[in-house]
Amino acid sequence: MADFTGKVGLIVGVANHRSLAWAIAQATSKGGANLILTYQGRFEEHVGELAETLTPKPLVLPLDVTNDDEIAAVYKKIQEVHGGLDFVVHGAAFASREEITGRFLNTSRDGFKQALDISAYSLIAMARGAQPLMAARGGGSVLTLTFLGSDRVFPNYNVMGVAKAALESSVRYLAADLGPENIRVNAISAGPVKTLAAAGIGGFSSILGVVREKAPLRRAIETSEVGDAAAFLLSDAGRGVTGEILMVDAGFHILGM
Ligand SMILES: NC(=O)c1ccc[n+]([C@@H]2O[C@H](COP(=O)([O-])OP(=O)(O)OC[C@H]3O[C@@H](n4cnc5c(N)ncnc54)[C@H](O)[C@@H]3O)[C@@H](O)[C@H]2O)c1
C-alpha cells in the first residue's frame, strides 16, 4: 500500500460513492493522507456524509472550478490549516446533455466553451493555485482523470473527447512547466465506469458492453483499481513519473479491433 503518512491532499470531484475521485480519496486516506474534499453545490450532503467515514476526517469545502474566487478560497484555507499541500486530484468534468447526445456536428459554441472550461482549463487553474503550497513542501503531485475518447471516437462522447484531448495536452505542458519545482503532473485514463457523469453520455451502457466483451481482461474496471493506480502516482512510489497518461482500462486501448 502507498504510504501517505504526513501528506496533505486536495480531492476535487467527489459527487457520491461511485465517483472515481472517491475511490482515490479512500485509497490515499487508507495510506494515511490528511485530505481536503470539495463539493459542487448540490453534492454538499453526500460529500459531507462520505467525509465522515474517513480518518482523519477531511476538511470539506465548496468549489465550483469555473469560479476563480472559490479556487483561491480553497487554497487560502488549506494554507491556514495545513501550511502546505502534497497532492491534488482533479476529477471534475462536465458537458451539457445536448452536447453528449446526437451529432458532433451540432456542438454549440457555448457548449464547447463550457465543456472545455470545466473539464480542461480548470486543471490549469487548480495547478496554479497549488504551486506555491507544493513548492513550500519541496514538490508535489497533481493528477487528473481522462478517457480514451480523447484519441478515438466513441459514440456520443463528442465535445468531451475534444475536452479530454485538451486536458491531456495540458498535463504535458504543466508537467514541463512545474517539473523544475519537483511538481509532477499525470493523468489516469480510466475505462468506462457507471458513475453520475457517465450516465449522461447517450448509450453509455453499450460502450461498457463492448469493453466487457473485448478488453484483454474481459471485464470493465472497478473504481478501486483507479484508486490504487492513483495512489501510486500521487505517492513517492511514483516520484520518477510525470507528464504520463496511465491507462487503467483492462487493456482495451491496445486493441485494433
Ligand atoms: N466514469 C467513467 O467512465 C470515466 C472514465 C474515464 C474518465 N472519467 C473522468 O473521471 C472524472 C470523474 O468523473 P466520474 O466518472 O467519477 O463522475 P462523477 O459524476 O462522480 O464526477 C464528476 C465530478 O465533476 C464535478 N463537477 C462538474 N462540474 C463541476 C464544476 N463546475 N465545479 C466543480 N466540480 C464539478 C461533479 O460535481 C462531480 O463530482 C471526470 O473527469 C470523468 O470525465 C470517467
Side-chain angles (χ1 to χ4, degrees), residues 12-22 38-43 47 63-67 70 90-95 118-119 122 144-148 157 160 164 167 188-199 201 204 208 221 223:
V12 177
V14 179
N16 56 37
H17 70 282
R18 292 198 181 82
S19 298
L20 300 185
W22 175 240
T38 69
Y39 62 87
Q40 186 196 13
R42 65 196 168 111
F43 300 118
V47 177
L63 176 64
D64 183 320
V65 295
T66 62
N67 185 323
E70 288 190 17
H90 171 273
F94 182 80
I118 297 175
S119 316
S122 62
T144 188
L145 294 163
T146 187
F147 180 60
L148 186 60
Y157 203 60
M160 273 307 296
K164 291 304 192 192
L167 180 72
I188 286 177
S189 183
V193 180
K194 205 150 204 170
T195 59
L196 198 61
I201 299 161
F204 181 79
L208 205 51
I221 61 152
T223 59

Side-chain angles (χ1 to χ4, degrees), residues 1-255:
M1 193 206 297
D3 183 15
F4 288 95
T5 310
K7 304 271 190 198
V8 175
L10 167 64
I11 302 207
V12 177
V14 179
N16 56 37
H17 70 282
R18 292 198 181 82
S19 298
L20 300 185
W22 175 240
I24 299 172
Q26 288 178 299
T28 52
S29 174
K30 206 161 64 180
N34 205 338
L35 298 179
I36 301 97
L37 302 184
T38 69
Y39 62 87
Q40 186 196 13
R42 65 196 168 111
F43 300 118
E44 179 172 8
E45 204 180 324
H46 272 127
V47 177
E49 282 167 12
L50 290 171
E52 292 287 343
T53 67
L54 300 180
T55 311
K57 186 174 169 281
L59 199 60
V60 180
L61 301 171
L63 176 64
D64 183 320
V65 295
T66 62
N67 185 323
D68 288 326
D69 292 340
E70 288 190 17
I71 293 175
V74 165
Y75 285 119
K76 186 164 177 276
K77 188 74 183 173
I78 294 172
Q79 173 68 47
E80 282 165 15
V81 175
H82 296 290
L85 186 64
D86 298 291
F87 65 87
V88 174
V89 174
H90 171 273
F94 182 80
S96 73
R97 194 171 279 265
E98 304 86 74
E99 306 297 345
I100 48 174
T101 40
R103 296 189 69 176
F104 178 66
L105 189 68
N106 293 333
T107 303
S108 70
R109 195 179 295 274
D110 284 346
F112 185 97
K113 280 187 193 162
Q114 185 186 37
L116 272 281
D117 185 17
I118 297 175
S119 316
Y121 178 75
S122 62
L123 176 71
I124 303 168
M126 292 305 301
R128 189 166 54 241
Q131 182 251 341
L133 287 138
M134 289 181 168
R137 311 269 279 206
S141 181
V142 177
L143 179 71
T144 188
L145 294 163
T146 187
F147 180 60
L148 186 60
S150 59
D151 205 36
R152 318 265 175 89
V153 174
F154 285 80
N156 295 313
Y157 203 60
N158 296 358
V159 74
M160 273 307 296
V162 180
K164 291 304 192 192
L167 180 72
E168 291 175 21
S169 186
S170 301
V171 164
R172 291 184 283 272
Y173 276 90
L174 285 169
D177 201 357
L178 293 168
E181 288 151 275
N182 194 31
I183 298 172
R184 301 181 291 108
V185 186
N186 294 290
I188 286 177
S189 183
V193 180
K194 205 150 204 170
T195 59
L196 198 61
I201 299 161
F204 181 79
S205 298
S206 69
I207 297 177
L208 205 51
V210 171
V211 167
R212 287 190 177 122
E213 189 193 338
K214 306 255 185 200
L217 296 182
R218 297 290 190 277
R219 62 174 178 84
I221 61 152
E222 291 171 13
T223 59
S224 65
E225 293 167 332
V226 173
D228 289 344
F232 160 69
L233 288 170
L234 293 169
S235 71
D236 289 345
R239 63 195 175 280
V241 184
T242 194
E244 182 67 12
I245 313 295
L246 178 63
M247 308 303 298
V248 180
D249 69 343
F252 185 77
H253 70 285
I254 66 167
L255 299 177

